[in-house]
Amino acid sequence: MSIRARLAGLAAVAVLTVAGQAAAQTAPPDTVAAIRARGHLICGVAVNAPGFALPDSRGEFRGLDVDTCRAVAAAILGDATKVRFVPNTTVQRFPMLQSGEIDILVRNTTWSMARETQLGLAFAGINFYDGQGFMVRRSSNITSARQLDGASICVQPGTTTELNLTDYFRTNNMRFTPVVIEQAEEIRAAFVAGRCDAYTNDASSLASFRATRTTDANDFVLLPEIISKEPLGPAVRKGDWRFFDIVRWALFAQIAAEELNLNTGNVEETARTTNNPDIQRFVGRTGDLGRSMGLDNDWAVRIIRQVGNYGEMYERNITPIGIPRGVNNLWSRGGLHYAPPIR
């Protein structure tokens, strides 16, 4: 072999070595393996969001987002209680997910193009269809967002809410003064204290806030305008597609269970006795769908038995704060929730 050929061979080996090292450095983490090794899922949730994520009197988190996390834990670990909840602010949430400090983010977060293409995140589905609104004090006699020209508006930074607010006022040739506060409790306190004329957030969040006011809830009014689409759902890091699949199909399983009339009380009995082919696949009696994600084939039964179907989650968490199902109903009942076939 000539010296030139030897040098060419060495160069090729070097290139392959460098490429292999680069691939190893950029290989996505195995989130499922990490969850199983530590024995619990780490879920990022809102700091104080009644109906979505809020500790009860015993310090246990309750809410729609909380139950979404619990469903993933039931699928992976077989136990919906194996979750550590990490409250975070709107500013903290994305860095915490990107750095791996949390496995999954489920905290009233809007699925948007920029968040997927620029932040390296992937949204696994929609657990609540929302839209941005405005709240004012009843004493202001304001009945429409079009009357807010020149108003001061309380808003959280680093959110789609902030962007939508700017767009809405610019589009309607109106002026406003932003009162920017990061912490949810502080921004609500500022609004109640009169530091701003209006408070803007997702309509569900505004309704949740008003529901917590035990003595003066009637003092606050939600204006009729909804100025944006806010599809809220669980986000994970891009690249770890096995974990992504599990999160996505855990949510779809809860929607599909409601479609199939499976619930916490009947899923185990139905799993043993059903002749319905769709339900047989759902409960793992036929097909190998669980194993295709690295799970047991009864993964969906565990979710429904321990957490419930989507309707049960909604009734338990959102109905008490006064938000009707509306667009969050099943497609067959006039809503938007629709699960792809589990087959």
Side-chain angles (χ1 to χ4, degrees), residues 65-320:
D65 289 345
V66 168
D67 282 348
T68 300
C69 297
R70 293 196 191 282
V72 176
I76 295 174
L77 298 170
D79 188 341
T81 68
K82 300 294 186 181
V83 186
R84 180 164 70 87
F85 294 101
V86 180
N88 52 77
T89 67
T90 55
V91 173
Q92 296 169 331
R93 56 183 169 170
F94 297 131
M96 290 178 72
L97 181 58
Q98 290 165 326
S99 68
E101 188 174 346
I102 57 178
D103 300 316
I104 181 174
L105 178 69
V106 196
R107 54 114 44 236
N108 305 89
T109 297
T110 300
W111 183 353
S112 73
M113 179 179 176
R115 287 172 175 175
E116 286 205 327
T117 60
Q118 298 175 13
L119 299 182
L121 308 181
F123 283 80
I126 298 168
N127 71 345
F128 192 87
Y129 289 93
D130 211 344
Q132 185 174 332
F134 295 91
M135 180 175 282
V136 296
R137 283 177 292 280
R138 188 177 298 275
S139 60
S140 69
N141 294 318
I142 293 173
T143 58
S144 168
R146 294 297 185 90
Q147 296 174 266
L148 293 174
D149 189 17
S152 56
I153 313 288
C154 280
V155 63
Q156 288 181 285
T159 61
T160 55
T161 307
E162 190 177 22
L163 298 175
N164 294 334
L165 175 65
T166 301
D167 289 346
Y168 179 78
F169 274 77
R170 181 183 296 122
T171 299
N172 289 286
N173 296 313
M174 295 162 56
R175 299 172 296 104
F176 75 100
T177 300
V179 179
V180 180
I181 303 172
E182 181 179 349
Q183 298 288 346
E185 284 297 322
E186 293 179 12
I187 197 170
R188 291 168 177 173
F191 171 60
V192 171
R195 287 180 53 194
C196 49
D197 301 310
Y199 171 27
T200 187
N201 207 330
D202 294 342
S204 64
S205 180
L206 297 175
S208 172
F209 158 69
R210 187 171 61 181
T212 65
R213 308 296 299 181
T214 56
T215 59
D216 60 355
N218 198 47
D219 293 346
F220 305 103
V221 178
L222 265 168
L223 299 181
E225 290 86 356
I226 298 296
I227 68 170
S228 71
K229 295 183 296 184
E230 305 295 334
L232 311 179
V236 299
R237 292 178 295 278
K238 272 187 177 178
D240 191 347
W241 298 115
R242 180 166 71 130
F243 183 53
F244 173 87
D245 284 344
I246 292 171
V247 175
R248 164 170 279 184
W249 287 99
L251 176 56
F252 282 149
Q254 293 183 289
I255 296 169
E258 187 178 9
E259 294 174 340
L260 294 168
N261 295 314
L262 297 173
N263 56 51
T264 303
N266 70 16
V267 66
E268 287 192 310
E269 175 65 20
T270 305
R272 290 193 298 269
T273 61
T274 185
N275 292 318
N276 182 316
D278 287 331
I279 296 179
Q280 288 181 338
R281 283 187 290 268
F282 183 93
V283 300
R285 278 177 53 190
T286 61
D288 233 7
L289 299 176
R291 290 191 178 90
S292 69
M293 297 188 293
L295 304 174
D296 297 331
N297 283 333
D298 67 345
W299 62 281
V301 173
R302 294 198 300 266
I303 292 173
I304 306 309
R305 184 179 69 244
Q306 297 180 36
V307 184
N309 66 36
Y310 183 82
E312 289 178 284
M313 284 205 306
Y314 197 101
E315 186 69 23
R316 181 167 59 240
N317 298 302
I318 306 300
T319 299

